[in-house]
Amino acid sequence: MASIKTTLIEKLKDKTARIAILGMGYVGLPLAVVFAEAGFHVTGIDPDKRKAGSLIKGVSYIPDISTERLTPLVKSGQLKASTDFSALKEMDAVSICVPTPLRKTGDPDMSFILSATEQLAKYMHKGMVVVLESTTYPGTTREVLLPRLGEANGLAVGEDWFLAFSPERVDPGREDYTTLNTPKVVGGITQACAEVAAAWYGGAIQHIHLVSSAEAAEMAKLLENTFRMINIAMVNEMAIMCERMGVDVWEVIEAAATKPFGFMKFTPGPGLGGHCIPIDPLYLSWKMKAYQYTARFIELASDINTNMPRYVVTRILEALNERGQALKGARCLVLGAAYKPDNDDIRESPALDVISLLQKKGATVEYHDPYIPTLKTHEGAEMRSVPDLMRAVRAADVVVAVTNHAVYDYQAILEAAKFIFDSRNALGKAGKESSKVERL
Ligand code: SAJ
């Protein structure tokens, strides 16, 4: 009689295996679409009624997946959506794509993973494969999912069921690398788990890179994002050092970037935003405490990046002082509030810190961002993006370029502004040459 593993691999290879994706956000929805387009029958399960309702209508709510691409999959029945976790009892393969934020204390918030795991645990049966995609600390798959899904149900992992980790690598808005063509790292609790997970993912995603354990896969993702966070912090500190020495950091970076090997360009900015880079490395430093080890690079980088908004406001205060003006009572216009250019996500955006710090210094602050119509400050106040950008630019004592969206007409802003603090080198050469502009 064929083993459970052989039977499951056959179902995965002939696409008769039924797939469920838990969490239909910017990771889960593209993954569901990629599996459905590969020929699997997929059910997206999300407790958010609005998401499930939108998907049932075939209407997408994330930019990376168009409604035109989604509708035919829903109409054909290839892709379904539900808020009901009991659908899991019919499933053969489940991918967990839920958020892993930080708590206010700075510790990992595992509540979404625990909630999804508790729901799935009710419906576990022989012949299932489960893959966790959420970025988390090394050991989560083995320490959190394995006991709750397998041992609690009397299922032997690697024989009755299969468990692996495969880090999500979705960069929202990116078009050159998507879920389909971004290499996918997969690491199993056992060798058999890795084989089953690779057979599943390999049936839809172009390149699978197998590693020897779930921990190796969890750590690979943290290395990727810790690498970015630390290099951004390093270049932020270069900006501070260059300013002390009267050297133009932007010129220095451009010069270093001419090196065709052994260098990777990062640019300084007002701080580190987003729901990945500032957060993922702290999952690692938090875990290392259990090993009595201090992840000094991560902690130092986090300190530097976290301090950048304050550094920017201090630079603005000094620059206004040079112009005989106090920051207190000054009219400040924050240009761009999203956490990175050409993006509508404000999570962890340094713009929120800059706004609050300017307000604490007594400045009158407005903001403009075509992608962020309203925002809530750290103090809980509602702000709206100013309706007339150029009017606000003319009225401001200082325009603070925080997020350099491509849509802005920087030449017009430069002509209309009294003074600009450019934290992103958004104005480029024109900014370098203008007496009305100071750069980070
Ligand atoms: N930032 C800088 N200087 C830089 C690069 C970024 O200050 O040189 C700032 C950005 O303004 C932003 C923050 O860092 O506030 C994070 O920017 P990011 O470009 O890293 O963008 P994210 O947060 O969207 O990162 C995602 C990540 N994708 C996943 O985790 C799957 C990351 O791994 C990708 O490398 C990154 O996109 C990317 O390359 O765009």
Side-chain angles (χ1 to χ4, degrees), residues 218-228 284:
E218 290 161 335
M219 197 64 163
K221 171 62 188 247
L222 293 177
L223 171 57
E224 290 163 21
N225 283 3
T226 301
F227 163 79
R228 272 185 89 72
L284 177 56

Side-chain angles (χ1 to χ4, degrees), residues 168-172 174 221 224-225 228 232 235-236 265-269 271-277 280 339-341 350 424:
E168 60 93 357
R169 281 178 163 175
V170 175
D171 176 22
R174 182 180 284 273
K221 171 62 188 247
E224 290 163 21
N225 283 3
R228 272 185 89 72
I232 293 165
V235 79
N236 280 333
K265 179 182 174 184
F266 288 88
T267 51
L272 203 51
H275 48 285
C276 300
I277 307 305
D280 297 349
Y339 83 84
K340 71 175 186 179
R424 293 284 188 181

Side-chain angles (χ1 to χ4, degrees), residues 56-301:
I56 287 165
K57 291 202 294 282
V59 174
S60 178
Y61 43 80
I62 62 160
D64 288 359
I65 298 292
S66 68
T67 292
E68 292 68 38
R69 184 173 172 193
L70 183 64
T71 306
L73 295 171
V74 173
K75 282 216 165 80
S76 68
Q78 199 80 27
L79 178 55
K80 295 183 175 68
S82 171
T83 57
D84 182 0
F85 283 86
S86 67
L88 289 167
K89 60 178 173 295
E90 309 297 328
M91 297 301 151
D92 304 299
V94 182
S95 185
I96 302 176
C97 306
V98 296
T100 45
L102 283 181
R103 292 208 299 258
K104 286 275 175 257
T105 54
D107 294 342
D109 176 354
M110 300 296 285
S111 61
F112 295 92
I113 286 185
L114 286 169
S115 163
T117 302
E118 277 153 28
Q119 288 291 346
L120 176 54
K122 297 176 196 167
Y123 306 103
M124 286 298 296
H125 54 78
K126 285 188 178 182
M128 282 181 97
V129 55
V130 176
V131 175
L132 175 62
E133 291 231 353
S134 308
T135 306
T136 183
Y137 60 81
T140 300
T141 307
R142 192 180 305 274
E143 297 161 14
V144 175
L145 273 73
L146 178 56
R148 288 170 175 79
L149 296 178
E151 289 141 23
N153 287 300
L155 297 171
V157 74
E159 291 167 32
D160 299 330
W161 73 295
F162 306 90
L163 176 60
F165 184 82
S166 178
E168 60 93 357
R169 281 178 163 175
V170 175
D171 176 22
R174 182 180 284 273
E175 291 171 5
D176 52 353
Y177 289 104
T178 64
T179 301
L180 189 63
N181 69 345
T182 301
K184 204 81 169 64
V185 171
V186 175
I189 293 293
T190 68
Q191 180 56 34
C193 296
E195 278 172 48
V196 173
W200 172 18
Y201 275 49
I205 292 170
Q206 290 169 0
H207 179 64
I208 301 297
H209 180 85
L210 271 182
V211 292
S212 63
S213 66
E215 287 81 358
E218 290 161 335
M219 197 64 163
K221 171 62 188 247
L222 293 177
L223 171 57
E224 290 163 21
N225 283 3
T226 301
F227 163 79
R228 272 185 89 72
M229 181 251 219
I230 282 175
N231 279 283
I232 293 165
M234 186 270 290
V235 79
N236 280 333
E237 189 171 52
M238 286 297 281
I240 294 168
M241 294 189 286
C242 282
E243 198 272 335
R244 289 281 174 98
M245 295 186 293
V247 172
D248 178 342
V249 69
W250 302 98
E251 178 185 24
V252 166
I253 291 167
E254 280 319 308
T258 59
K259 184 178 179 190
F261 52 85
F263 179 77
M264 183 172 178
K265 179 182 174 184
F266 288 88
T267 51
L272 203 51
H275 48 285
C276 300
I277 307 305
I279 291 170
D280 297 349
L282 301 185
Y283 269 69
L284 177 56
S285 54
W286 174 84
K287 180 67 175 178
M288 290 319 294
K289 289 176 187 151
Y291 294 86
Q292 290 78 46
Y293 185 85
T294 302
R296 287 167 293 170
F297 267 110
I298 293 172
E299 301 205 348
L300 171 62

Side-chain angles (χ1 to χ4, degrees), residues 271-272 301-310 353:
L272 203 51
S302 188
D303 286 350
I304 290 172
N305 288 328
T306 307
N307 186 56
M308 288 312 285
R310 190 172 297 279
D353 303 306

